[in-house]
Amino acid sequence: MTGWAEMAHEELLAAVADAQLARNAIDARMLAAVAELESRGLAPEHGYRDTADMLQSVQRVPVAVARARVRAARAVVPERSLLGEELPAELPSTALGLAAAEISFEHVRVIQQTIAALPAHLEADHRKPLERDLAELGRTLDPEALRRAGKHALALLDPDGPRPRDGAPARTRLRFMPRGEGFEARGWFDRESAAVVRTALSPLSELVPEHGPGECEETGCEHLPGERRPDPRSIAEREGDALVELCRRMLDSGALPIDGGARPQVTVTIPLTELRGSGAGLLSFGDGTLASAIKAEDARRWACDAAIVPIVLGSRGEPLDVGRRSRLVTPALRRALEQRDGGCAQPGCSIPAQWTAAHHIEHWSKGGSTCLENLVLLCPRHHRLVHRGEWTIMMEDGLPVFHPPWWAGGRPSRNLLHRPDLIGRVDEPALPSRGERALALLD
């Protein structure tokens, strides 16, 4: 280890400067790796929503930092065309400064935010010179000073401020538009309707509960007991989750009107052979207007905590016999799971038990039994992740232990956020030998 105490003053100052340059270079290396992850689409292949979701989980950074890294990588790393030609980066001058280790990741974020605030009617004439000048200023200013300089520049370029928006629609409306792997909801609500909807969503979209000793997920936590724990979700994400949860609870409550002679329900139709393998089924929407394919692995996830209706089909796919429903997890077993896991059992997850599903560690379609030792509570996000098959769950001393994939670089662990009574009383799972993975970045 470097003998800092033996260094002369000038040598120590030079070492600090060199360390910052090395950190800037590591920022550039990080963003290049993130851009490559994004271009290959590796995150969905491994069960994550997107690259930011993967970075948050694997690198154990706040979700805001993970998203910022993805946005920055898209802006400063050149892409390649279908012919393999390198295309200019979105922020070319910023990319040059980062590659030279003269600006940091924080500078990149400030430049991105400033360029994003440039009004559309000024982009054609001012976007390129503004980005160039901000990148040049970033070589001599700290990020906060650069932010102030950007605000001054925007104020001079657009002294009239934001332009007025178009008039609002007259009637409440909501549409679902197919987009990627899901649907984008677009709509408009008058004030009264919005008040009703947001009031119903409010108790389901709250921040994570009060902060107790040892419960905070933030590294170097300085929050006091009784304060709110940090929630990685944005307001929009919390309200989106709350809307789905509100509808899920209404479907489970039986309070909705009869629809087509039966209770409203989401239906998945899939042959048993496909359910056990890697085929696909059909996800039918309750309103009868939409339907889409669903992967067998997702159908297995739904079946973990669903009512199963076995149907015998004829040679042409026609139903010949419909069996009776059987709830896989009984209320008593569910209560036992909630007492044991307290919430989502994935390490680091703070989602409470009422927002989780019971997952079979050894799936029932492969002979797994419905018992406490073969069940674990998982939130929707981590339920999807576990069903990808790269994480494994083992029961040790009556508690679930999660083993990450080899490339994640982590150790097997438990989630004790919901069970602070076990902290200090449970031995940590043993770390298997993984070989030497350390990389010396600085002497």
Side-chain angles (χ1 to χ4, degrees), residues 420-433:
D421 55 308
L422 297 180
I423 296 176
R425 303 183 185 182
V426 178
D427 293 334
E428 281 294 317
L431 176 64
S433 175

Side-chain angles (χ1 to χ4, degrees), residues 165-208:
R165 298 182 178 180
D166 296 334
R171 292 183 60 84
T172 295
R173 63 193 188 198
L174 180 65
R175 291 193 303 165
F176 288 90
M177 307 292 293
R179 181 175 179 182
E181 295 292 324
F183 294 84
E184 179 176 313
R186 299 179 183 177
W188 183 87
F189 295 85
D190 58 48
R191 289 187 180 89
E192 182 179 337
S193 300
V196 171
V197 172
R198 299 199 70 178
T199 300
L201 296 182
S202 179
L204 298 175
S205 60
E206 288 185 349
L207 295 168
V208 210

